[in-house]
Amino acid sequence: ATKAGLLDDAMSSSMGNWSYLLYGGQKLSILSQSSLSRFQEIAKYSQFYAKSIVCDYIYLMELTGEYKDYFSELDGAVCSLDDVQAEAESNNIHMVAYHIKVTNILRAYWKGDYLGAEESGSSNSMSNLDNTSPLFSILHCFFLGLVSFRLYRTLGNDERLSKGREMLIQMEKWANISKAVFGTKYLLLKAEHAASIGGKRDIVKKYYSDAIRTAQDQGNIHELALAHELLGNYYHATEGSAHDSSNCFERACVFYKQWGATAVVERIFHEHSLDIASVTNVELQMGKSKRLGEHED
């Protein structure tokens, strides 16, 4: 029994560390290299463990665009995340169900399906976050805030603005505890809020620039990419020049590529009709003059 308990602890710790790497910005190519064999080992050890984290592997697969059949490793009639979530909810395994719900917000967000992301997060609010899942509480807060502000600007509805502010206030509380962990997320929500209420252009730009600088300082490549994309969205929606917005999107693509999010790069190319040669040129220029961690002018 003691040996089994130690094995369970080791497996649980390993799974938790992997999730933190995945959602914390580790290069996806590194995680993807052995993802299927790793998942097979987990499924062989425990079907419960495998079902509890299969959403992480589906999330990785969709970001990289590299298809892998994880569901064939699961017993029974489980063929989708909906099946796993339904099983978790029927057995009152709330942490797993919440994990999947939050992951669904992120999956929809990176695909550009903001209404889908909002729907996935609509049953959650800061008052009923799962306190046993701090990582997913943070992700829920951040991405639901981004979605709420974006949809408020494009589709309206004051409830979205209120929801975004609720997420911003919570993120500010966390940022006051640890700017190293929450600084970029807070600044991005602050910038999105300012953009949503028609804040002065120089102030909004400063918030985005501060977020970019913070992401650089912390080496968070995924947040650096996201910050450039959001700034590009701001330029595109306001009176910013086409050159400014395109340059932001091109830089976002370079950083998303470095992160390994090939599917996100493809989405941005499609949404903004980017030119491959221009993005390649930006990548070469950035490689010559800048490295992650150095500040942009």
Side-chain angles (χ1 to χ4, degrees), residues 105-122:
I105 298 174
L106 274 66
R107 292 172 60 219
Y109 182 90
W110 291 123
K111 293 175 184 176
D113 179 11
Y114 305 111
L115 284 172
E118 180 183 55
E119 183 179 356
S120 294
S122 62

Side-chain angles (χ1 to χ4, degrees):
T2 301
K3 184 177 181 180
L6 291 174
L7 285 173
D8 275 353
D9 289 344
M11 181 63 72
S12 179
S13 177
S14 176
M15 288 163 46
N17 289 338
W18 194 88
S19 292
Y20 271 95
L21 291 174
L22 172 63
Y23 294 103
Q26 172 66 278
K27 288 194 173 183
L28 301 177
S29 59
I30 295 175
L31 296 175
S32 186
Q33 285 175 358
S34 58
S35 60
L36 182 56
S37 59
R38 177 184 176 83
F39 187 77
Q40 288 170 335
E41 291 177 1
I42 295 171
K44 184 178 180 180
Y45 177 78
S46 168
Q47 281 288 303
F48 172 78
Y49 280 169
K51 290 177 182 178
S52 70
I53 52 102
V54 67
C55 58
D56 291 351
Y57 288 82
I58 299 302
Y59 175 66
L60 172 64
M61 179 183 73
E62 292 181 348
L63 285 175
T64 61
E66 299 176 1
Y67 176 78
K68 297 179 181 180
D69 187 4
Y70 295 107
F71 289 110
S72 65
E73 304 300 324
L74 301 179
D75 295 337
V78 176
C79 301
S80 68
L81 287 184
D82 288 341
D83 293 338
V84 179
Q85 185 170 351
E87 183 177 298
E89 290 176 348
S90 66
N91 292 313
N92 294 319
I93 309 175
H94 302 298
M95 185 171 67
V96 173
Y98 180 71
H99 184 158
I100 295 172
K101 286 182 179 179
V102 175
T103 303
N104 283 340
I105 298 174
L106 274 66
R107 292 172 60 219
Y109 182 90
W110 291 123
K111 293 175 184 176
D113 179 11
Y114 305 111
L115 284 172
E118 180 183 55
E119 183 179 356
S120 294
S122 62
S123 61
N124 297 316
S125 69
M126 297 314 300
S127 63
N128 64 1
L129 288 179
D130 189 332
N131 293 323
T132 63
S133 304
L135 170 63
F136 292 97
S137 295
I138 294 163
L139 294 170
H140 160 220
C141 176
F142 180 53
F143 281 92
L144 192 54
L146 292 180
V147 167
S148 297
F149 287 135
R150 182 182 180 91
L151 290 179
Y152 172 74
R153 293 200 300 274
T154 57
L155 299 177
N157 192 332
D158 288 345
E159 289 184 6
R160 289 183 172 122
L161 182 60
S162 297
K163 175 64 69 176
R165 283 172 170 162
E166 182 185 358
M167 303 299 140
L168 171 61
I169 290 170
Q170 179 59 59
M171 192 61 68
E172 181 179 22
K173 293 177 181 178
W174 288 334
N176 287 334
I177 297 172
S178 175
K179 285 185 171 58
V181 176
F182 304 105
T184 304
K185 293 179 178 66
Y186 167 60
L187 288 168
L188 286 177
L189 287 181
K190 193 174 182 179
E192 289 287 283
H193 175 256
S196 297
I197 61 174
K200 292 184 178 179
R201 186 177 179 82
D202 57 340
I203 294 177
V204 177
K205 286 175 60 179
K206 182 180 184 303
Y207 291 153
Y208 284 119
S209 297
D210 287 348
I212 288 171
R213 184 176 299 107
T214 302
Q216 288 175 317
D217 287 344
Q218 297 170 353
N220 289 333
I221 191 74
H222 61 316
E223 292 183 345
L224 182 56
L226 177 59
H228 278 93
E229 182 185 2
L230 294 177
L231 179 55
N233 288 339
Y234 175 69
Y235 282 137
H236 185 71
T238 58
E239 296 179 357
S241 71
H243 175 269
D244 287 336
S245 61
S246 292
N247 184 257
C248 286
F249 292 136
E250 288 163 356
R251 286 175 176 270
C253 283
V254 172
F255 290 125
Y256 279 132
K257 180 181 176 182
Q258 291 179 9
W259 181 31
T262 303
V264 181
V265 174
E266 292 175 353
R267 171 179 61 78
I268 295 176
F269 260 89
H270 176 73
E271 286 180 353
H272 303 288
S273 302
L274 299 183
D275 179 69
I276 294 177
S278 296
V279 175
T280 301
N281 182 59
V282 167
E283 185 174 14
L284 291 173
Q285 293 300 318
M286 289 169 61
K288 290 178 181 178
S289 61
K290 302 179 189 298
R291 294 180 180 178
L292 180 62
E294 296 179 350
H295 293 159
E296 298 185 359
D297 296 331

